[in-house]
Amino acid sequence: MKVFVTGATGFVGKRLIRRLLLRGDQVVALTRSRHNMTGNESGDRLLVIEGDPAKPGDWQQQVTGCDAVVTLAGEPVFGERWSTAFKERLESSRIESAKQMCAAMAPLGPEARPRVWVAASAIGYYGARGDEGLTENAAPGEDFLARLCVRWEAESRAAENLGVRLVLLRIGIVLGDGGGMLAKMVPPFKAFVGGPLGGGRQFVSWIHLDDVIGLLELGLDRSTLSGPMNATAPHPVRMAELAKTLGEVLHRPSRLAVPELALRVAVGEASAVILASQRVQPERALGDGYAFKYPELRGALRSLLTK
């Protein structure tokens, strides 16, 4: 399979490319700077191209002849405080990227057009929902991030009119090496000042990075799979349990909670995402037979922190 990947140098993208190359696929990796690709395999099966996925460019020609597309590009939600300008970048990096990928596919004939597009979305689609169980059929939320996810997915759905099988992967809080939530939570714990964020009652719908890659593969390979799919572990936990388990795995206390007010002062409007309770269930993945490598939080944390 020949796979076109955007967001190739990101937290998930780098791991996906390694996995695709290991299984023998060809990869076309789009990055704003090829110097960011250090550490990945090179050779005949990896073509690195430069470009901005949110803007028209020569990169769009490389979509021709690819069997599949995976789009992971997007401005990090917690990259900085949510000013008006930053929120516009959050929107543009997602919505415009979807538009430009559709524009790349539109003029291609059926034989040259990708058969499947696995498009990253996020569980932010659902908004804050308390203890409500959220499957792929749940209605969207109404906050900024939820509205953004709705628009993001709607732009991607234009590809379905071209006959492309579209999988919308709504990704939860990713636990993995070198980034994500653990990169922010582990240092305070190691310094003996760790604890839950906010009141601790909010549900955290987490997923191990290896299972994100596994679900991306499922989306690529399962020809009957289309539409939204939640990329979260089957056992979400409350923030207090996450902090307690993290402390136990690290052999550190977990009693120093970060108050909601302190979070709001520190990160502004984005604190609403941290404090939102989302009890997301991966109903679609389980129904399609996916066996999670790390269904339980303790095992996931041990795999990452006790090497």
Side-chain angles (χ1 to χ4, degrees):
M1 181 182 289
K2 185 176 182 181
V3 186
F4 189 102
V5 179
T6 74
T9 59
F11 182 40
V12 175
K14 288 187 290 187
R15 184 70 62 88
L16 174 65
I17 288 172
R18 287 200 296 269
R19 175 61 189 154
L20 292 174
L21 293 173
L22 280 172
R23 70 182 211 167
D25 294 319
Q26 292 180 274
V27 178
V28 180
L30 178 63
T31 176
R32 287 182 174 83
S33 172
R34 65 179 61 250
H35 299 297
N36 295 331
M37 290 296 294
T38 56
N40 278 299
E41 288 186 44
S42 58
D44 295 339
R45 288 191 291 108
L46 175 61
L47 172 64
V48 180
I49 58 174
E50 292 185 339
D52 184 343
K55 296 179 181 178
D58 293 341
W59 66 265
Q60 291 170 300
Q61 299 172 17
Q62 297 294 337
V63 176
T64 304
C66 288
D67 302 297
V69 167
V70 178
T71 52
L72 300 169
E75 187 82 23
V77 170
F78 299 110
E80 57 185 76
R81 291 180 73 91
W82 283 12
S83 63
T84 299
F86 183 67
K87 288 165 94 172
E88 289 175 354
R89 295 211 306 272
L90 288 175
E91 292 174 334
S92 175
S93 65
R94 289 160 172 78
I95 295 168
E96 294 302 320
S97 292
K99 286 182 179 179
Q100 295 305 325
M101 182 54 70
C102 288
M105 295 180 182
L108 304 179
E111 294 185 359
R113 187 182 300 139
R115 299 189 302 273
V116 56
W117 176 7
V118 182
S121 182
I123 61 171
Y125 176 95
Y126 301 111
R129 305 289 277 271
D131 292 357
E132 178 186 355
L134 301 168
T135 70
E136 289 84 355
N137 293 323
E142 298 180 354
D143 60 24
F144 167 76
L145 198 56
R147 294 194 303 271
L148 173 54
C149 289
V150 169
R151 293 174 61 198
W152 190 12
E153 293 187 8
E155 291 295 344
S156 303
R157 284 191 178 278
E160 293 178 318
N161 296 328
L162 303 172
V164 176
R165 178 171 63 86
L166 177 67
V167 179
L168 297 163
L169 202 65
R170 294 175 181 161
I171 302 174
I173 304 300
V174 181
L175 305 181
D177 294 323
M181 174 180 267
L182 289 184
K184 299 187 185 319
M185 288 193 73
V186 167
F189 273 83
K190 288 188 172 180
F192 292 87
V193 292
L197 304 177
R201 292 285 299 167
Q202 69 271 35
F203 272 100
V204 180
S205 293
W206 61 276
I207 185 169
H208 193 291
L209 180 54
D210 286 355
D211 280 314
V212 177
I213 302 306
L215 290 173
L216 285 166
E217 288 187 88
L218 182 69
L220 289 171
D221 298 338
R222 185 70 57 84
S223 62
T224 56
L225 182 61
S226 64
M229 180 167 65
N230 291 334
T232 59
H235 301 293
V237 298
R238 295 190 189 274
M239 172 59 76
E241 182 181 345
L242 189 154
K244 180 176 181 290
T245 307
L246 179 57
E248 289 172 352
V249 170
L250 292 172
H251 304 291
R252 296 291 194 275
S254 58
R255 296 185 294 271
L256 296 177
V258 180
E260 292 186 13
L261 179 58
L263 277 173
R264 292 192 177 101
V265 170
V267 300
E269 186 181 349
S271 64
V273 179
I274 300 170
L275 298 170
S277 182
Q278 295 181 308
R279 192 179 185 181
V280 180
Q281 300 293 334
E283 184 175 78
R284 189 72 186 279
L286 293 171
D288 274 270
Y290 181 75
F292 280 83
K293 299 175 181 69
Y294 298 98
E296 303 285 349
L297 178 64
R298 187 176 298 275
L301 291 176
R302 281 178 172 165
S303 77
L304 296 165
L305 300 173
T306 59
K307 295 178 180 178

